[in-house]
Amino acid sequence: MTPTAQQAQPRAQGVALSLRGVQRVFAGGVEAVAPLDLAVDAGDFLALLGPSGCGKSTLLRLIAGLDRPDAGQVLIDGRSASGLIGDRGHRVAFVFQDAHLLPWRSVLRNVELPLELRGVGKSERRQRARAAIEQVGLGDAAGRYPAQLSGGMRMRASLARALVTDPLLLLLDEPFAALDEITRHALDQQLRQLWLDRRMTVLFVTHSISEAVFLAQRAVVLSRRPARIVEGRAIDLPMARDSATRTQEAFVREMRYLREALERGGGLA
């Protein structure tokens, strides 16, 4: 990393994550995740990259505490991750591939839902929801309903709903995969900036090499199922990135390294 990029790094605000010998075997003996170890520093942005069906989403659910490993431990700041979604001490948020917005609630009321469920008063939760909506660029759409939104706008609303809790750990499971390339690139850039502003710990599951390179400070490449770590690599790019970054030689070089790792793991066969 260049000296300029190092100087630009803000203070980490997230939590540290540690996976120790984590394994998941489904009914019938189907091994989704082989025993693996992984450490993520507080405030890091990590991309989990691998072929479809390799166990990326399963691994993210294990980290979130939405599923339990058959062996090993998932620790967040040294504490078991089981059941930490919504935990006030750790503030873990999950953004799924589908926006999962409630169709009968406006964008504003969808975004304030996590705070409502926690018993936050109406005035405070509305203020925080509006701030999160503004941060993702949806201020003009706060009163609209999901059916009135484009796919990209629905994902922005889903991201705002996750951010409204001020998460220390943000988990994203291919949230932009179904969007067109232009919209996806715009949301990648916005998410990157949100991370720079907040510096929470982020784990982003994707099967897109270019998305992993653009977003992450570090990428972990997984093999075909069962998921094993083929390579973990620090992305050697400046902290500040924009659309021009994707055309630079360093960006292409990082893509090549990750593509080669995917090939070794059988991901491009």
Side-chain angles (χ1 to χ4, degrees):
M1 187 176 294
T2 65
T4 301
Q6 290 176 338
Q7 293 167 5
Q9 289 185 8
R11 184 171 60 88
Q13 300 293 325
V15 292
L17 176 69
S18 178
L19 278 64
R20 301 176 181 172
V22 168
Q23 181 186 33
R24 184 67 173 100
V25 182
F26 291 130
V30 177
E31 188 178 28
V33 178
L36 59 79
D37 299 323
L38 177 65
V40 184
D41 292 335
D44 200 3
F45 195 128
L46 178 75
L48 290 171
L49 181 67
S52 297
C54 76
K56 301 186 301 295
S57 296
T58 298
L59 188 59
L60 207 66
R61 290 177 63 85
L62 293 171
I63 293 169
L66 298 175
D67 194 6
R68 294 181 181 275
D70 294 287
Q73 288 182 299
V74 179
L75 303 175
I76 295 177
D77 275 348
R79 178 180 163 193
S80 174
S82 179
L84 282 180
I85 288 289
D87 181 88
R88 297 186 183 205
H90 286 84
R91 302 207 303 267
V92 181
F94 203 125
V95 179
F96 296 90
Q97 192 170 25
D98 188 287
H100 293 296
L101 301 176
L102 299 178
W104 59 88
R105 297 182 73 132
S106 66
V107 168
L108 178 63
R109 296 205 62 219
N110 265 288
V111 172
E112 69 180 35
L113 181 59
L115 301 179
E116 184 179 336
L117 294 174
R118 293 185 181 192
V120 177
K122 182 176 180 179
S123 177
E124 180 184 348
R125 71 176 186 251
R126 191 137 296 184
Q127 181 180 7
R128 289 171 62 178
R130 288 190 184 280
I133 290 168
E134 288 287 347
Q135 196 167 23
V136 301
L138 275 183
D140 293 340
R144 297 188 197 175
Y145 289 83
Q148 299 172 304
L149 305 177
S150 67
M153 292 172 76
R154 285 194 292 272
M155 288 313 307
R156 288 175 194 267
S158 180
L159 183 57
R161 185 175 56 190
L163 294 174
V164 78
T165 61
D166 293 323
L168 302 180
L169 175 60
L170 180 61
L171 307 171
L172 303 104
D173 188 5
E174 300 193 57
F176 311 144
L179 303 176
D180 65 85
E181 188 173 15
I182 293 175
T183 302
R184 185 170 182 166
H185 284 186
L187 289 178
D188 284 344
Q189 190 164 331
Q190 187 169 39
L191 176 60
R192 173 80 187 177
Q193 187 59 51
L194 286 168
W195 172 74
L196 287 171
D197 292 341
R198 294 187 173 220
R199 202 55 193 272
M200 62 281 196
T201 305
V202 178
L203 271 72
F204 190 99
V205 163
T206 183
H207 62 264
S208 167
I209 299 172
S210 63
E211 187 167 59
V213 172
F214 183 85
L215 283 172
Q217 292 304 99
R218 190 160 63 96
V220 167
V221 177
L222 300 175
S223 66
R224 287 193 176 276
R225 193 175 66 190
R228 293 183 172 86
I229 294 177
V230 177
E231 182 169 325
R233 177 176 178 80
I235 303 299
D236 189 15
L237 291 174
M239 292 291 284
R241 302 172 194 177
D242 56 23
S243 58
T245 303
R246 297 178 185 271
T247 65
Q248 294 171 359
E249 182 180 346
F251 189 90
V252 175
R253 182 178 63 246
E254 293 297 326
M255 284 188 61
R256 183 173 66 249
Y257 288 144
L258 294 183
R259 177 174 291 275
E260 290 170 353
L262 278 168
E263 289 174 347
R264 293 198 303 272
L268 297 179

